[in-house]
Amino acid sequence: IKIVVSQIAWEEIRTQELDKLKKAMVAFNRASNKLKNQLETNVVAGGLTDPIVGRLSSDEAKAASIKNMEAFAKENHIEIVIWSVDHADRTWTRYFDELPPFENTDIEREERRKNIPDAWILEAAIDTKENYGEIVAGCADNGLCDALEQHEIQSYHNINDLILYVESEIF
């Protein structure tokens, strides 16, 4: 068993988690600034010192997110399929030819553009299948799951179902 993740999906996960961290940092910094202001201006705060030693910057958080995701991939033997120019060409062909995951023309074109990352993930999955043979996918997006299955890549919406499938194939 090999865990393979497209770089697009990997970056989506990393940046979504980084966004959560940044929101928490912003909330923390606001609260910290309020406290600092109180310590400087409130008469009853005399003699108290600012308990905040240092604050994280967005750049530090981004660098840590990259480093920690790389370490996680290495520790868990996860292969990241790097995006390529070929993936871009194939994605744009899919988009303009209205192929999966862009085939639903009942949806406005602007809305279908949101599937561009999914199309990149699909192209990485197609390449992975060519390299490894049979693959299965964990996927929470219905449109991407449908597109994967059109390329004979079995997909599971629920990670527990994927685990059960893998276990049934091994044992």
Side-chain angles (χ1 to χ4, degrees):
I1 295 175
K2 183 151 193 67
I3 299 173
V4 180
V5 179
S6 79
Q7 186 178 10
I8 294 286
W10 194 254
E11 284 299 304
E12 279 287 313
I13 293 166
R14 184 187 66 78
T15 57
Q16 286 170 3
E17 292 302 310
L18 182 58
D19 285 348
K20 291 178 195 175
L21 178 61
K22 286 179 179 179
K23 285 178 185 171
M25 289 168 53
V26 166
F28 174 81
N29 287 338
R30 281 190 190 127
S32 176
N33 288 338
K34 277 180 141 177
L35 174 61
K36 186 175 180 184
N37 183 50
Q38 285 295 309
L39 291 173
E40 292 171 355
T41 62
N42 191 321
V43 68
V44 300
L48 296 175
T49 59
D50 188 348
I52 308 302
V53 176
R55 298 179 192 174
L56 294 172
S57 71
S58 289
D59 289 342
E60 289 172 308
K62 179 182 177 183
S65 74
I66 292 168
K67 178 182 150 213
N68 292 328
M69 289 290 284
E70 286 173 355
F72 182 85
K74 184 176 182 180
E75 179 180 319
N76 292 285
H77 309 286
I78 298 171
E79 179 183 331
I80 309 301
V81 178
I82 305 301
W83 57 56
S84 70
V85 172
D86 183 47
H87 292 160
D89 292 341
R90 290 165 25 202
T91 294
W92 287 115
T93 297
R94 283 183 178 286
Y95 176 73
F96 291 117
D97 289 348
E98 297 174 338
L99 299 171
F102 304 108
E103 76 279 11
N104 188 350
T105 55
D106 292 337
I107 299 172
E108 291 294 322
R109 186 177 202 85
E110 189 172 305
E111 191 68 21
R112 281 184 277 149
R113 285 187 200 130
K114 293 179 182 177
N115 291 326
I116 290 172
D118 291 348
W120 280 70
I121 293 166
L122 175 62
E123 294 303 337
I126 291 167
D127 286 355
T128 301
K129 183 179 178 194
E130 286 179 17
N131 291 336
Y132 291 107
E134 182 186 356
I135 66 169
V136 294
C139 176
D141 182 280
N142 290 335
L144 179 55
C145 286
D146 291 345
L148 288 165
E149 289 176 6
Q150 288 180 25
H151 289 275
E152 299 177 0
I153 299 170
Q154 189 172 354
S155 62
Y156 291 87
H157 294 273
N158 181 310
I159 195 68
N160 291 325
D161 292 340
L162 174 60
I163 291 168
L164 288 173
Y165 168 77
V166 170
E167 287 176 345
S168 74
E169 291 295 309
I170 294 173
F171 302 111

